[in-house]
Amino acid sequence: MKIAFSECPPDESNYTFPYHVWGYLEEGESVSSAYRQGFLPAEYDFSRFYLARSIRVKLDEFSSSSRMRYVERKCGSISDALLTRDRFEFSAEWHEMVEVYFSVQKISASYRHTRFLQQIDSPLATHVSCFVDESNGKPVGLVPILIRDGISQYGIPVYDPSYRTVSIGNYIMAATLHRLRARGVDHCYLGYCSDRGSLYKTRFPGMQFFNGRGWSADRAELHFAISQQDLTGAPHLLSSPEYVKDFGEVDPSSLNSKIYSI
């Protein structure tokens, strides 16, 4: 990949000079190679990627936990299907469900609404994971899905808000992971884990996150990273003695490190 560093505002008082890492595929490189190196698509035509604390599930290690089985029982009337995008009719009924979902969202609703509509009609949406309540025929959930080069990405999910009482969001994600595993997909990428509100993505067997050096399954490391990000004056993790001691495998004085294989 070709790499560019887009500068962000510095925190000079703590000698922190951040850059946002952008990636561009070179001729002959697969989209999956970007994902496996911790990048996610910044553009849905895969013309640019960004490096982030990406979350993925190693699907040969994925299975239903007791909590997931409980949710599956509560959602017993809901059927699911994984369809190629050209076989899915984005009808007025599905559009109405999407509009209702975003009308009750409180965080970044307008932005995510726009991104969802862009995503579902983009090269990222090779497939859709769709959910219908068989007891009344109502659409209850929809997720754009990428399946390509042995990997997949779980897009922006939408669902009927009246089904929150049966944990519909968790059910949609778990059922989709089961479908992808059955298709022989290696990994499903769930986006990035930016804060505690994103930790729902990490509750599945086979979870891994990109820590800047490779893929880690250490939830304690992930929680430590999240705990530091809102602290005033917190250093980069590799400059934090506590992080290095418990998770980093790095000598910050010499930067001799064990770089994980991606």
Side-chain angles (χ1 to χ4, degrees):
M1 294 183 74
K2 292 182 178 178
I3 300 296
F5 300 94
S6 180
E7 189 171 3
C8 307
D11 178 4
E12 294 186 31
S13 62
N14 291 290
Y15 212 69
T16 301
F17 301 95
Y19 285 84
H20 196 181
V21 183
W22 289 356
Y24 302 85
L25 293 176
E26 298 189 78
E27 186 175 354
E29 282 190 296
S30 68
V31 166
S32 65
S33 69
Y35 281 92
R36 289 183 172 119
Q37 294 177 80
F39 287 85
L40 292 168
E43 304 293 341
Y44 295 146
D45 63 358
F46 309 111
S47 59
R48 178 165 60 87
F49 293 80
Y50 66 98
L51 192 64
R53 189 189 292 143
S54 178
I55 300 291
R56 72 182 186 183
V57 175
K58 189 177 180 183
L59 290 171
D60 64 3
E61 297 180 4
F62 170 73
S63 61
S64 290
S65 65
S66 59
R67 183 178 184 277
M68 281 188 276
R69 288 192 292 272
Y70 172 69
V71 171
E72 288 165 4
R73 289 194 294 273
K74 291 201 297 181
C75 296
S77 67
I78 298 173
S79 66
D80 66 286
L82 184 62
L83 304 176
T84 57
R85 178 63 181 90
D86 60 2
R87 290 183 56 208
F88 173 75
E89 182 185 357
F90 197 13
S91 65
E93 198 172 15
W94 285 102
H95 272 282
E96 181 181 358
M97 186 202 69
V98 170
E99 296 304 313
V100 170
Y101 172 82
F102 285 108
S103 72
V104 300
Q105 297 305 298
K106 296 179 180 179
I107 301 175
S108 305
S110 178
Y111 171 77
R112 286 177 59 79
H113 188 184
T114 299
R115 295 289 277 179
F116 171 83
L117 293 176
Q118 292 172 345
Q119 197 174 84
I120 199 165
D121 283 323
S122 76
L124 186 140
T126 61
H127 294 69
V128 293
S129 187
C130 50
F131 296 77
V132 174
D133 189 336
E134 295 296 338
S135 68
N136 55 27
K138 287 180 58 177
V140 296
L142 179 64
V143 190
I145 301 291
L146 170 73
I147 302 177
R148 183 167 173 173
D149 303 329
I151 59 94
S152 60
Q153 182 179 346
Y154 187 89
I156 297 171
V158 298
Y159 52 81
D160 184 331
S162 67
Y163 285 76
R164 282 180 174 157
T165 56
V166 294
S167 302
I168 187 64
N170 287 332
Y171 177 72
I172 288 172
M173 186 172 283
T176 301
L177 292 173
H178 278 296
R179 288 275 183 182
L180 292 167
R181 174 175 175 163
R183 291 178 66 104
V185 175
D186 293 333
H187 295 90
C188 181
Y189 292 79
L190 302 180
Y192 64 92
C193 187
S194 57
D195 52 31
R196 294 188 185 281
S198 303
L199 287 173
Y200 70 92
K201 301 176 185 178
T202 73
R203 295 170 183 158
F204 300 102
M207 185 282 301
Q208 301 173 325
F209 75 98
F210 189 76
N211 65 6
R213 304 180 306 285
W215 293 96
S216 172
D218 190 339
R219 285 178 168 79
E221 179 184 1
L222 176 60
H223 282 256
F224 181 89
I226 291 173
S227 73
Q228 298 300 294
Q229 62 193 31
D230 294 327
L231 298 180
T232 301
H236 284 284
L237 287 178
L238 295 186
S239 295
S240 164
E242 184 179 356
Y243 176 81
V244 169
K245 174 179 176 293
D246 291 338
F247 313 111
E249 300 187 47
V250 173
D251 175 358
S253 65
S254 65
L255 294 182
N256 290 327
S257 64
K258 174 185 176 182
I259 303 299
Y260 302 120
S261 173
I262 296 173

